[in-house]
Amino acid sequence: MITDEQLDAYRVNGDKLRVVRDGLESNDVKGIVVAWNSEQVMIRRQNRKVVKLDRSYSYQVFSEPRVSPVE
């Protein structure tokens, strides 16, 4: 699970993240961190829609290569 300190650093820096939910790259959510609580993270996607995602997903910086959680 991602920590509050990591989420705050991503929010302050405005880093674009990739949220890897499963083995398919097409199911990834890309965007910036807006807010979070103990169970969920809110990500603003490029089309300005906000989605709530579980904190147990893999959060990766978009500029780095994708690491699949299945492998």
Side-chain angles (χ1 to χ4, degrees):
M1 185 179 336
I2 191 165
T3 65
D4 288 342
E5 291 79 19
Q6 289 173 312
L7 287 168
D8 191 46
Y10 290 145
R11 182 189 60 81
V12 170
N13 294 335
D15 292 335
K16 186 174 181 182
L17 298 181
R18 170 187 290 118
V19 183
V20 180
R21 300 184 291 177
D22 56 23
L24 296 174
E25 189 170 351
S26 61
N27 290 339
D28 292 354
V29 175
K30 300 165 195 88
I32 60 172
V33 175
V34 177
W36 62 91
N37 62 21
S38 62
E39 299 173 3
Q40 297 176 327
V41 178
M42 292 178 69
I43 300 288
R44 179 178 291 128
R45 297 174 22 171
Q46 189 172 358
N47 63 2
R48 298 191 181 259
K49 294 194 182 221
V50 176
V51 289
K52 290 182 183 178
L53 300 167
D54 194 69
R55 283 183 73 159
S56 65
Y57 291 137
S58 174
Y59 291 81
Q60 304 168 6
V61 178
F62 185 74
S63 59
E64 296 177 3
R66 181 183 191 271
V67 179
S68 177
V70 179
E71 297 173 355

